[in-house]
Amino acid sequence: MKKLTSLFCLCLALNLIGQETDTVRVAESDTTMIDIGNTRIIIIGNDSEANSDTVINWDSSDDDLTWWDGIDVGVNGYFFGENFDVDPIDGQEHLEINYAGSRSFSLNFAETKIKLIDNYVGLVTGLGLQYQSYKFQNDYTLGLSGDSIVAFMDTTINLRKNKLRTGYLVIPLLLEFNTSKDADRSFHLSGGVVGGINLGNKYKQKFEVLETGEREKVKVKSKWDVAPFKLDAMARVGYGDFSLFASYALTDMFRSESNPQLRPFSAGLTLNF
């Protein structure tokens, strides 16, 4: 599956961004080498005008045995306070989570590996986009007073959706293990840290106005005092193209001490490319 995806992406890349590839032509033979990341394409042409056949040697390295690229889908939440309580502390009920509607989604689109022991052990890094939504259990409306998040009950509306979404550019550093060089039969395990740069946050409400019955939507894009950087511990385990993942934040979700101390976590399924 990874090879087919890589081949498709390669063809697209050659058509759209061919100018960014590193091309080397050997002077005395009609041979061209094109390096794209860890992949080298060797095109060997025949000098004879009567026979202009071209041979393409696809030299795919070991991308099939690196397990960051893919889509992560899971459930997320957070712990409250220094004792890592699942239930909110007094005065923080407005941030209580409804786990059924709190989801994590990541698109991991770039990866590379430093081999330590052939393809069996290596250090993996890459890039990804991560979005985490937190659906609130109670019908509080959130607002901002300076850096502080405030909450109040609006008795004129019936809330249908009430959630905060955060977005990050993420960069992993994982120690990865493979049990086989056959990607389709490899049991793989990795663990390490994932750093994140906050790209923006959005608070979203859907509600019905009780007096008129009209349905409304409210979206508020703001920093919401979310810390600009984060660091998560992550573990991933899987077989073939499917993996399970779990992560836990090593840093607080909010930047200032005027807001509750929250440590997000998430867990779910990965479909690897």
Side-chain angles (χ1 to χ4, degrees):
M1 180 177 178
K2 275 191 160 187
K3 290 181 179 178
L4 291 176
T5 305
S6 298
L7 182 58
F8 172 80
C9 293
L10 173 65
C11 293
L12 184 63
L14 288 177
N15 283 310
L16 298 180
I17 56 171
Q19 69 274 14
E20 297 181 4
T21 61
D22 182 13
T23 302
V24 180
R25 178 173 293 275
V26 179
E28 296 183 358
S29 63
D30 193 12
T31 300
T32 302
M33 291 181 292
I34 302 175
D35 292 327
I36 303 177
N38 294 325
T39 300
R40 169 167 289 182
I41 300 175
I42 304 174
I43 304 175
I44 305 172
N46 193 322
D47 289 336
S48 170
E49 295 181 359
N51 186 354
S52 59
D53 291 343
T54 299
V55 177
I56 298 180
N57 180 7
W58 169 266
D59 181 15
S60 176
S61 57
D62 306 300
D63 292 340
D64 280 3
L65 288 163
T66 304
W67 304 99
W68 171 254
D69 272 3
I71 296 174
D72 294 344
V73 179
V75 176
N76 57 258
Y78 39 64
F79 294 112
F80 290 84
E82 297 179 353
N83 296 323
F84 307 108
D85 296 313
V86 177
D87 296 323
I89 303 170
D90 290 343
Q92 299 178 0
E93 292 83 1
H94 58 288
L95 295 175
E96 184 176 358
I97 289 293
N98 180 338
Y99 289 96
S102 299
R103 301 182 183 91
S104 175
F105 175 84
S106 299
L107 174 61
N108 305 323
F109 55 85
E111 65 181 17
T112 189
K113 178 166 67 175
I114 301 172
K115 297 179 187 178
L116 300 179
I117 304 177
D118 198 4
N119 267 310
Y120 295 108
V121 183
L123 284 174
V124 175
T125 188
L127 289 172
L129 291 173
Q130 181 185 86
Y131 297 95
Q132 294 176 311
S133 65
Y134 303 93
K135 183 177 181 180
F136 301 117
Q137 179 69 32
N138 301 313
D139 290 342
Y140 288 93
T141 294
L142 302 188
L144 284 170
S145 176
D147 290 334
S148 299
I149 295 177
V150 295
F152 61 93
M153 285 281 191
D154 189 343
T155 58
T156 66
I157 62 174
N158 178 27
L159 278 173
R160 306 173 64 87
K161 178 179 287 188
N162 191 29
K163 63 170 54 180
L164 176 68
R165 191 187 73 178
T166 59
Y168 297 89
L169 175 70
V170 293
I171 305 171
L173 181 61
L174 306 173
L175 181 63
E176 184 179 80
F177 301 87
N178 285 288
T179 60
S180 171
K181 288 187 177 182
D182 184 345
D184 293 330
R185 298 183 179 181
S186 176
F187 178 83
H188 43 90
L189 172 69
S190 63
V193 294
V194 179
I197 303 171
N198 185 246
L199 300 177
N201 315 289
K202 180 166 63 177
Y203 177 59
K204 184 176 181 179
Q205 281 188 327
K206 289 184 179 181
F207 56 86
E208 179 183 354
V209 180
L210 295 178
E211 184 176 349
T212 64
E214 295 181 355
R215 294 188 176 183
E216 303 286 348
K217 297 179 183 179
V218 173
K219 297 179 183 179
V220 181
K221 294 182 179 180
S222 173
K223 293 182 179 180
W224 286 98
D225 199 42
V226 173
F229 304 101
K230 71 168 185 171
L231 186 67
D232 296 345
M234 174 171 279
R236 306 171 76 89
V237 60
Y239 182 83
D241 289 326
F242 296 93
S243 305
L244 298 175
F245 75 90
S247 69
Y248 166 71
L250 302 176
T251 54
D252 292 337
M253 179 175 173
F254 293 122
R255 178 178 52 185
S256 67
E257 295 181 356
S258 61
N259 288 309
Q261 182 182 9
L262 304 179
R263 291 290 180 94
F265 61 84
S266 62
L269 176 68
T270 299
L271 173 62
N272 295 106
F273 293 157

